[in-house]
Amino acid sequence: MKKESNFKTFVGDIPKNLFSGFVVSLIALPLGLGLALASGAPPISGVIAAIVGGIVASLLGGSNVTITGPGNGLVVVILAAITTLGAGDMHQGFLFTLAAIVVSGALLIILGFLRLGSLGDFFPASAIQGMLAAIGIGIFAKQIHVMLGNLEAKGSIIDLLIQVPEGIVNFFKTDDLSMFYAGSIGVISLLIMVFYSKIRNRYFQLIPAPMWIVVLSVGLYYYFEMFSASDYPIDKSLLINLPDDILSNFAFPDFGKVYQMEFINAVIAITLIASIESLLSIKAVDKLDPLKRRSNVNKDIRALGLATVISGFLGGLNVVTVIARSSVNVNNKASNRSANFFHATFLILFILLFASELRKIPLPALAAILVYTGYKLASPENIRKVFKIGKEQLIIFLITLFTTISTSLITGILIGILITFIIHIIINKNALLFFKNTLKPNVLMFKEDEKYYVSVKNFSSFLNYTKLKSKLDQIPESEEAIIDFSLCDFVDHSVMENMSNYAESFKRKGGHFEVIGLDDSKSGSEHPFALRKTLPKQMIPVKGVLTKRQKSIQKISEEMHWNYDAFPLEEVTQLPQFGYFKTRKIDKVSNILSNENCSLFDIQFSEGEMIAKQVIKATMLYIDIQKEEIPKFTLDKEGIFEYIYHFAGYNDINIENHPDFSKRFFLSGKNEEKIRSFFNDELVLFFESNQYYHIEAINNGLLIIGKERLASVKEIKSLADFGVRLTKTISTKK
């Protein structure tokens, strides 16, 4: 029945997926042509990648609404590979690069089968941002000259950037009408890309900006051909060059340099960037999916690898998951992978039916699309976002960016990783923290009270994040998960960002994901993704940046009309009087949530000495009983502390007429008569009908402990409510 229902849903969704595929193809066609040209490859190679990717990924992929095709990030890599491997012969370099693309695809298939899709999480977030910005600058530097009609600009990225002012001046001063007209089309095309989103006409918005550029460019050609007395002013060298018979002109890879180091370097670079770009895009698109589905990353990587191998053998570029086209797909109500298939089908029709029209598109028009794309990757807004996370992140970003521009992508990302590691050591002033614990297991997960609890110790950064991720991926997103970093000395930006991603994912599926244990840490900034370093007691600020948990506690205090002090100067002086703390040393108390009777707080204490010393952080509640003096007693769930108290000489006190209570709870204390008198019917009923807590009483106060760990926000609210109702029950005792 379920298969039949799924089939009906699939058939019913065909019209909207067909339309979405058509809209995406309008963007994919000019982008495919442009990305191929920017890569130094024949224009058709970009469209081949989009067609093969759309067909293979739609049939074998693990994503739901993603679009595949040539990617922005690979432009600089492919261009460098063609230039290096061809040693000046761009055509031969392209054939060698096709071989590198095929090998890269095979590596992706292997990575997918080995379930190594999570390797992308090893790279620090700011280093990846710096690398992507460098790719954007590289695209911009090359394509802005093409956009102005100059195909002769040569040199490194830095050289090309230095030549930009001179190129602009030459454009306005040129006597070459062909170059001027082509450049003018390029400038107008750029203006269309920039101002497209600001034009609110719904009919205008039906056609994507890149397709408007294609339509207007081809329209201008036909204007000169049909209505103007003048000849079309743009030279053929500045128009797209497609083979006359597209189906019989596939390029075939040349594996002649497969054992040479420059070939191996090209394969590594292509595989690295393809996997990173795809993994980032898959994560981003999963957030956009209205049906809240999670992609099978390893299955998708295998499909992308196979598509890349086929594309390479047919003369096409790499196949990756692309975020911009995928977001358009989602916005047009696509519901499954068939939209990707339809997008590929429409591209085939365009190439077969409108090849002659495509040859009329000026190269500067396509270059303008890529100039805008490059700017978006390296925009000042991206730098500002990185700076808001923390100054150290900006340092990582800039060093990765400048290293990538001046050397290569592989060198850039490796330097980015190294600089991130060095900065982490400097921040912690402790290299041993990383060297001793990187390979050690540092994540413990278990289930309690229908909640998943994950404890992380030592440190959590890009170096060992895959250990935490492997545990988190086992938790159904419809469940409740608590991630405790209280035993961590350091949590980096990449982990904090990923925790936020998990929280969003769980929220979409109706689950709850909460991070605790960071309240005693210093943050790099007020940004929620800022790294966190645990501070010793004497260094905890009187007033600091509140964590998400602290802000939630503050909200609870406002709702319940309690007082909240995140960084208290005074301690809860009554605690040492309780037997629980006779063998435990209190280090610090924080996050005090209180009213006139109750004080709920986080506490750090230690037990044992020297190598046996253990530091514990927990959430507790103290109730000040003002009305009467109460007997000293301890109440626990039967069986938990029973043997300890028997060993200490205490017996289980049974309450008459309440056999169920006596069976479920272990009640102990010296003065049994007073204790029995204190536990009247109302109080017994209260404990029987509420959650179990460890409760210890002294003459004028109660200490209530849940688990020997920090409580989540939900648990804090429950504990506070328990305290209010218990206080009321005791105060109204007859």
Side-chain angles (χ1 to χ4, degrees), residues 503-627:
E504 288 180 19
S505 183
F506 271 66
K507 185 178 179 180
R508 291 199 309 271
K509 289 287 184 74
H512 180 72
F513 186 94
E514 183 176 343
V515 173
I516 64 175
L518 297 173
D519 300 344
D520 292 337
S521 61
K522 178 185 177 183
S523 65
S525 70
E526 294 187 16
H527 198 282
F529 297 167
L531 60 79
R532 295 273 175 173
K533 179 186 181 301
T534 301
L535 295 173
K537 178 183 177 182
Q538 61 271 22
M539 292 183 64
I540 293 178
V542 176
K543 186 177 181 181
V545 178
L546 298 183
T547 64
K548 185 176 181 180
R549 177 175 182 263
Q550 288 173 313
K551 290 176 182 177
S552 297
I553 298 173
Q554 190 174 52
K555 188 176 180 181
I556 290 173
S557 72
E558 293 168 359
E559 292 172 354
M560 300 181 68
H561 304 291
W562 286 29
N563 299 315
Y564 175 58
D565 190 353
F567 309 100
L569 295 175
E570 298 180 2
E571 298 183 355
V572 183
T573 55
Q574 299 88 344
L575 294 181
Q577 301 174 41
F578 288 93
Y580 185 87
F581 286 108
K582 281 186 178 179
T583 58
R584 297 174 172 91
K585 180 184 176 183
I586 298 172
D587 296 325
K588 60 186 175 185
V589 173
S590 60
N591 293 320
I592 298 179
L593 183 65
S594 60
N595 64 7
E596 56 184 10
N597 298 110
C598 302
S599 294
L600 192 154
F601 50 87
D602 291 336
I603 184 168
Q604 178 178 312
F605 57 90
S606 58
E607 48 187 9
E609 294 295 336
M610 300 181 71
I611 61 171
K613 184 177 180 180
Q614 184 179 9
V615 176
I616 299 170
K617 296 179 181 180
T619 303
M620 300 181 182
L621 173 68
Y622 171 75
I623 300 177
D624 185 10
I625 305 298
Q626 301 171 350
K627 182 180 178 182

Side-chain angles (χ1 to χ4, degrees), residues 42-53:
I44 195 64
S45 61
V47 181
I48 290 172
I51 292 171
V52 173

Side-chain angles (χ1 to χ4, degrees), residues 368-386:
I369 299 172
L370 296 171
V371 167
Y372 183 74
T373 301
Y375 171 79
K376 295 291 284 185
L377 284 172
S379 69
E381 176 65 17
N382 291 343
I383 299 175
R384 189 183 68 82
K385 286 179 180 177
V386 172

Side-chain angles (χ1 to χ4, degrees), residues 29-216:
L29 180 63
L31 269 181
L33 296 169
L35 290 170
L37 287 167
S39 303
I44 195 64
S45 61
V47 181
I48 290 172
I51 292 171
V52 173
I55 294 172
V56 175
S58 63
L59 297 175
L60 303 174
S63 298
N64 298 290
V65 288
T66 56
I67 296 296
T68 52
N72 301 329
L74 283 158
V75 168
V76 176
V77 184
I78 299 296
L79 179 60
I82 291 173
T83 306
T84 304
L85 295 175
D89 186 341
M90 295 297 282
H91 176 70
Q92 187 58 46
F94 174 62
L95 299 182
F96 287 134
T97 302
L98 287 179
I101 287 172
V102 170
V103 176
S104 169
L107 287 178
L108 285 176
I109 294 173
I110 293 170
L111 290 175
F113 277 112
L114 293 177
R115 297 186 175 276
L116 295 177
S118 60
L119 279 180
D121 296 310
F122 176 75
F123 301 102
S126 295
I128 289 177
Q129 289 296 323
M131 181 193 70
L132 292 175
I135 289 171
I137 291 173
I139 295 172
F140 178 90
K142 173 66 177 175
Q143 295 305 309
I144 192 168
H145 294 286
V146 179
M147 186 190 80
L148 295 174
N150 179 13
L151 304 182
E152 304 303 321
K154 306 289 182 185
S156 66
I157 293 174
I158 295 174
D159 292 335
L160 291 169
L161 287 172
I162 293 172
Q163 295 171 28
V164 169
E166 182 185 352
I168 295 173
V169 172
N170 290 340
F171 168 68
F172 285 106
K173 288 185 174 180
T174 184
D175 295 326
D176 186 341
L177 286 179
S178 175
M179 176 181 171
F180 181 77
Y181 274 101
S184 299
I185 290 175
V187 172
I188 293 169
S189 299
L190 180 62
L191 293 175
I192 291 173
M193 294 296 298
V194 172
F195 293 105
Y196 174 81
S197 60
K198 296 176 174 57
I199 301 173
R200 297 300 178 186
N201 186 288
R202 61 174 180 163
Y203 298 108
F204 181 82
Q205 293 284 334
L206 286 175
I207 300 177
M211 186 51 71
W212 269 119
I213 291 172
V214 170
V215 170
L216 294 176

